[in-house]
Amino acid sequence: MSMITVKSAIPKDLIDSWSSTTERIPSRPGETFDKSLPSGISNDKNMRSCETRFITFNNHRKFYLNILDNIYPFIDFYQHAFNVQLYRVLELQHTTYFKDDHYAKHLDTIFDNKIPHQRKISLVLMLSDRSEYSGGELIINNEPVDLDKGDMVMFKPTTHHAVEKVQQGVRKTLVMWALGPHWR
């Protein structure tokens, strides 16, 4: 088992209440890590095309805590199901995919012993109804994952995954990662 899917994990009305807050958070261009570059950041649109907004404890404390209060029980379950030790949750990423946006196959973990911790959980919460967009399927281990508004999937960051090109409409997700000690 490399992933856990939870249908209707978060009530749709709660997700709707989050929308006005996420729209006020400044966006920044999609960034992709590339170890071959000195800065480590790539803006290669062939790899990733989307709009990202980052919700951190410092800049949106109340909103950040509200989200974690609702998601933490699932993270706790994952920690025990996969027998991983966790330190903390990183910033939350609100991601919007417009027509033709995508994210090519990638991993969420960078294997670098110089950093004190690694991502141990990747979590994607769907914020859009399936009727609001077409295309844009989340692919994990070469298999599409059917997510509707309020559904969530948690998987090991060492798992290959991608978001296929959005054909029309707008696809919104909340993505987060939890950190723990290095993989063994």
Side-chain angles (χ1 to χ4, degrees):
M1 174 171 70
S2 64
M3 72 175 167
I4 298 171
T5 304
V6 182
K7 296 294 186 181
S8 301
I10 304 296
K12 293 179 181 182
D13 59 335
L14 181 57
I15 290 172
D16 290 340
S17 74
W18 292 345
S19 293
S20 62
T21 302
T22 55
E23 289 168 4
R24 292 191 308 266
I25 299 168
S27 65
R28 66 187 194 207
E31 297 173 340
T32 304
F33 189 85
D34 183 341
K35 288 179 74 172
S36 67
L37 298 175
S39 69
I41 300 297
S42 167
N43 287 319
D44 180 357
K45 296 293 183 194
N46 292 318
M47 180 66 183
R48 178 182 186 180
S49 173
C50 61
E51 177 186 276
T52 55
R53 300 170 190 270
F54 289 88
I55 305 160
T56 67
F57 181 75
N58 291 334
N59 68 358
H60 295 90
R61 184 170 302 187
K62 194 173 187 179
F63 183 49
Y64 179 91
L65 291 174
N66 180 266
I67 292 170
L68 283 187
D69 281 348
N70 286 279
I71 291 177
Y72 191 78
F74 300 104
I75 292 173
D76 190 49
F77 172 80
Y78 177 100
Q79 176 175 288
H80 296 290
F82 287 106
N83 193 29
V84 294
Q85 181 184 3
L86 300 177
Y87 299 146
R88 66 183 178 97
V89 173
L90 283 172
E91 63 190 2
L92 312 177
Q93 178 182 289
H94 182 276
T95 308
T96 305
Y97 292 85
F98 298 97
K99 185 178 185 315
D100 295 328
D101 283 349
H102 68 285
Y103 199 164
K105 185 188 269 189
H106 65 284
L107 301 174
D108 286 345
T109 292
I110 301 159
F111 296 98
D112 183 351
N113 289 327
K114 294 176 186 165
I115 56 175
H117 49 260
Q118 289 183 314
R119 291 177 178 173
K120 300 301 277 259
I121 296 175
S122 291
L123 184 148
V124 177
L125 171 65
M126 183 55 68
L127 303 178
S128 299
D129 282 320
R130 270 313 265 149
S131 63
E132 296 174 356
Y133 67 97
S134 64
E137 286 80 15
L138 174 63
I139 307 295
I140 299 177
N141 281 334
N142 297 318
E143 296 291 326
V145 179
D146 182 37
L147 296 175
D148 202 355
K149 187 175 191 172
D151 295 348
M152 163 187 329
V153 62
M154 297 174 287
F155 54 95
K156 293 180 180 179
T158 55
T159 306
H160 282 98
H161 58 287
V163 176
E164 292 186 338
K165 187 181 286 191
V166 171
Q167 302 301 319
Q168 68 183 124
V170 179
R171 175 189 187 272
K172 294 181 180 182
T173 60
L174 190 64
V175 181
M176 64 189 75
W177 305 271
L179 299 177
H182 285 265
W183 293 101
R184 296 177 187 195

